[in-house]
Amino acid sequence: MARLRATGTRWRRAATGAVVAAVATLVAMAGAVPAHADVVNPRQTWLRNATGGLFLHWGMRTSPGYTSCTAWENAVTSGGWSADYWVREAQKLHTQYIVLATMHSRLGYARPYPSKIPGSCATRRDFLGELIAAAKAKGLKVVYYQTDDPQWHDEGGHEWLDSAAYSTYAGHTVDLTTRPGFGEFSYKLFFEMMSRYPDLAGFWIDNDNAYWEDHNLYQQIHQQRPDMLLTNNNEDTPEMDVVSNEQKTGMTPAYDYPQAVWTAQPRIVEADYKLPSSGAWWYSGSDSSVDYTLTLGRFVMNAGSSIKSLEDEQAMVNGKFPSKQVAFNNFADTYLGAIWESLGGTEGGGFLHGGMPGGFWNDGAHGATTISRSNPNLQYIHVVTRPSGSVLKVRDAGYHVTKVTDLRTGAARTFSQANGVLTINNSSWDSYDTVFKVETTAGRVGVYSGVKASASTGTAANLVDGDYAKYWSNNKTVPATVTLDLGSAKRVEYLGINQHEDSVSYERSSTEQSARIKGYSVAVSTNGSSWTTVKSGTLPSHRGAQFIDLNVASARYVRLTMNGTWATAGNSKNRIGIDELWVAGGYA
């Protein structure tokens, strides 16, 4: 079987069980590492099963700040620094890995281990080794941060990089304050760390350096250490296993999934955000408050998008966190523990793993859905913003619901289904996340199989051939049409559309919007030549599967015409992609 690559392929949305089986098959059949990293690879299994990580910016310039590497190391040790403490706090947050950002351009380019390569601060004590060992003992992973950027080499009036020492080591003159010089220096650090730490899970790389690329660094890492994950910040580099994005603000609601995510599943995507409401990514001496609603909402919505939450907390010199962050960690430990089955071991609903879609619901409600990996007939509805009344309405996506309970209390909730909508009656709402456990019968009800597709452009068969590694693209040609042939005249109740989520998610400016479909029309025919338009309008620029209700008594052919995208400029203008298009003859 061909392995999925980072360029040009994505799984199509399907019933959860089928997608899980496809993942297992792809991973099991993976072979030798090629020149470009695979989108799906066995080394990624632990991260795909994770929900999030703890991001630690901690170095020489951590308040109160030091210019002497020895003085900083002594302060860390005398302050009682403990790797076990970080691991315990990560567990409270219900994260499964730690990213240590000490070799950071704004924190003095310090290396928390006894490196043999001169050029910047390197401690005598092996803080990194201790952290890796402590994490491994508790089943967590450690990923090491590496910057590509020397521009902050003299921040604060101190020179943090030692070009003379490295030049002597290298045997030729190297200026570490330039990108090529710093690239050479840091290039060697990768190999030193791969050799030192067999249990290091990977590298979190802050953008790219041309020296690394020219010397095939990423391919060499995967050849020497095929178990290592590579994460890149802000770039979808083909050799990377993970694309990381800073969780933006400005969308509505504020906690919804990262505004800048432009990479589709099954690519692993990570969202990075600070828990403190203000301040730098590192500890600067303040004890900023933590916005519980925003932080928990982000964690839940990311899980509901199959996105990993990388949560940044500000470790002080001794490794401890400020009191308000400690208080949040203690709260999260209990709060998330009570509903963990709905977050851990799940995938996001409404995308390629099937399930009911999250996003905007009735009466101001908003939230996400998740689906159990181990039981495809078990879904969870996370209501982060409650409706104004006592009723929640969620599109059921064709799933027949048999039972609804409040996950926290176990109390049953009355519900009904009609016209494609699940209605849940509820009078008690949690302050941050009301979770309904929803049990369903197997698969979607009323969806036609054996449907054939044709299109005005692109490979329409990708929509209906059951191959999860392909999607349909209009090649930026609009208007574009896709026609579904049901084989014979049948009732057509609704059309389901799962779009290719590989653009920005919300309007970020007057010209930067999503590549989701905007204007559309649907026509039907019994003979393929005479057509009747039965619906037209505008699809919302919203997350997850969208539905067009048609209520057609009899038709063999259903044609969707797409007139353009929400974006009016840039790469997303008129660029339409659909993972799966399906027709149902009845509601669940």
Side-chain angles (χ1 to χ4, degrees):
M1 179 183 292
R3 305 173 76 188
L4 295 177
R5 299 297 175 88
T7 53
T9 58
R10 184 191 176 206
W11 290 356
R12 289 175 53 229
R13 176 184 179 275
T16 305
V19 172
V20 171
V23 174
T25 300
L26 286 166
V27 172
M29 298 184 72
V33 177
H36 294 281
D38 302 304
V39 169
V40 175
N41 189 286
R43 64 174 166 265
Q44 303 164 356
T45 301
W46 70 265
L47 185 55
R48 291 189 180 278
N49 291 335
T51 307
L54 175 58
F55 205 7
L56 296 175
H57 289 75
W58 176 79
M60 285 186 70
R61 302 199 73 231
T62 295
S63 181
Y66 298 84
T67 56
S68 165
C69 190
T70 299
W72 173 61
E73 178 179 352
N74 290 340
V76 173
T77 298
S78 62
W81 180 89
S82 168
D84 290 321
Y85 171 81
W86 279 352
V87 173
R88 289 195 299 271
E89 296 304 298
Q91 290 178 310
K92 290 179 183 178
L93 288 169
H94 285 73
T95 56
Q96 295 77 40
Y97 61 103
I98 296 173
V99 176
L100 182 58
T102 302
M103 181 59 174
H104 191 281
S105 57
R106 305 295 301 277
L107 290 173
Y109 300 91
R111 288 167 289 161
Y113 65 95
S115 173
K116 295 181 179 180
I117 301 172
S120 69
C121 165
T123 60
R124 293 164 298 177
R125 181 176 175 182
D126 193 354
F127 296 105
L128 177 59
E130 292 179 38
L131 178 60
I132 293 171
K136 181 180 180 180
K138 298 297 183 181
L140 276 70
K141 301 284 188 178
V142 173
V143 176
Y144 189 71
Y145 172 102
Q146 177 64 55
T147 183
D148 76 312
D149 183 10
Q151 68 171 309
W152 304 99
H153 64 92
D154 58 354
E155 185 176 23
H158 178 80
E159 179 56 64
W160 303 98
L161 299 176
D162 190 342
S163 296
Y166 181 77
S167 296
T168 300
Y169 168 84
H172 60 274
T173 301
V174 181
D175 184 355
L176 300 189
T177 68
T178 66
R179 293 186 70 84
F182 188 83
E184 177 184 335
F185 164 58
S186 51
Y187 173 85
K188 293 186 181 299
L189 300 182
F190 283 100
F191 295 96
E192 180 183 51
M193 297 186 67
M194 284 191 287
S195 176
R196 282 187 63 95
Y197 302 111
D199 291 322
L200 181 64
F203 294 109
W204 201 98
I205 299 170
D206 204 346
N207 297 309
D208 279 320
N209 186 289
Y211 186 95
W212 302 345
E213 295 174 324
D214 293 343
H215 290 76
N216 298 317
L217 171 64
Y218 309 136
Q219 293 92 333
Q220 290 189 69
I221 291 174
H222 278 142
Q223 288 166 1
Q224 293 189 25
R225 287 285 302 275
D227 60 309
M228 271 193 158
L229 283 181
L230 294 179
T231 300
N232 192 282
N233 184 29
N234 294 326
E235 294 185 13
D236 191 0
T237 307
E239 293 85 358
M240 297 292 168
D241 297 284
V242 187
V243 178
S244 200
N245 301 267
E246 182 179 340
Q247 187 120 18
K248 302 295 183 180
T249 57
M251 74 283 283
T252 302
Y255 56 76
D256 203 359
Y257 75 143
Q259 188 178 27
V261 165
W262 31 255
T263 303
Q265 298 178 52
R267 194 74 145 128
I268 304 176
V269 176
E270 193 178 57
D272 325 326
Y273 54 93
K274 296 181 293 185
L275 270 64
S277 303
S278 60
W281 286 84
W282 51 87
Y283 180 67
S284 58
S286 62
D287 187 7
S288 299
S289 61
V290 177
D291 187 329
Y292 284 40
T293 300
L294 179 62
T295 300
L296 292 169
R298 284 172 162 175
F299 193 80
V300 168
M301 297 305 290
N302 286 334
S305 309
S306 295
I307 291 173
K308 313 307 174 186
S309 289
L310 186 54
E311 301 185 300
D312 182 79
E313 290 200 314
Q314 281 69 64
M316 296 184 286
V317 170
N318 62 3
K320 298 294 181 64
F321 298 120
S323 63
K324 292 176 182 176
Q325 293 176 48
V326 171
F328 177 81
N329 293 355
N330 292 334
F331 172 79
D333 189 18
T334 301
Y335 185 83
L336 295 176
I339 58 168
W340 189 242
E341 69 172 78
S342 68
L343 296 168
T346 64
E347 295 289 351
F351 299 101
L352 76 140
H353 297 276
M356 303 176 192
F360 294 95
W361 296 319
N362 65 296
D363 300 326
H366 190 274
T369 66
T370 54
I371 313 163
S372 170
R373 294 194 195 105
S374 60
N375 182 359
N377 304 324
L378 188 57
Q379 302 185 37
Y380 302 89
I381 299 174
H382 297 261
V383 186
V384 182
T385 297
R386 57 158 293 180
S388 57
S390 58
V391 172
L392 178 72
K393 296 182 178 181
V394 177
R395 190 77 194 211
D396 63 29
Y399 293 93
H400 175 64
V401 177
T402 59
K403 185 177 182 181
V404 178
T405 56
D406 183 303
L407 181 59
R408 292 185 183 277
T409 66
R413 293 289 181 258
T414 59
F415 66 93
S416 61
Q417 281 185 271
N419 301 320
V421 175
L422 169 65
T423 300
I424 301 173
N425 301 302
N426 186 66
S427 58
S428 177
W429 302 94
D430 184 83
S431 300
Y432 305 113
D433 181 20
T434 303
V435 186
F436 296 115
K437 183 175 183 177
V438 179
E439 299 176 41
T440 71
T441 56
R444 294 182 307 217
V445 175
V447 176
Y448 292 125
S449 60
V451 175
K452 296 181 180 180
S454 60
S456 59
T457 184
T459 308
N462 292 347
L463 294 164
V464 294
D465 65 359
D467 185 345
Y468 304 133
K470 297 178 182 178
Y471 67 93
W472 172 81
S473 170
N474 74 328
N475 300 315
K476 285 195 170 184
T477 301
V478 293
T481 62
V482 172
T483 303
L484 301 182
D485 180 358
L486 308 184
S488 61
K490 300 176 182 178
R491 179 167 182 78
V492 177
E493 200 68 74
Y494 67 87
L495 187 66
I497 309 172
N498 199 94
Q499 299 182 72
H500 193 58
E501 296 281 4
D502 64 345
S503 68
V504 296
S505 309
Y506 290 83
E507 183 178 10
R508 300 177 68 195
S509 69
S510 60
T511 57
E512 189 177 12
Q513 246 284 20
S514 76
R516 297 178 180 131
I517 301 165
K518 189 175 183 181
Y520 77 90
S521 63
V522 178
V524 297
S525 173
T526 56
N527 56 20
S529 58
S530 300
W531 294 88
T532 301
T533 299
V534 293
K535 196 74 172 284
S536 62
T538 301
L539 285 178
S541 180
H542 289 171
R543 60 162 53 229
Q546 300 297 319
F547 303 88
I548 301 174
D549 295 299
L550 299 172
N551 189 26
V552 175
S554 180
R556 173 173 174 174
Y557 301 95
V558 180
R559 174 172 293 170
L560 172 66
T561 299
M562 297 151 281
N563 300 318
T565 63
W566 278 87
T568 59
N571 186 48
S572 294
K573 181 180 180 180
N574 295 332
R575 179 173 59 85
I576 298 172
I578 300 177
D579 292 324
E580 184 180 6
L581 189 65
W582 71 94
V583 177
Y587 295 113

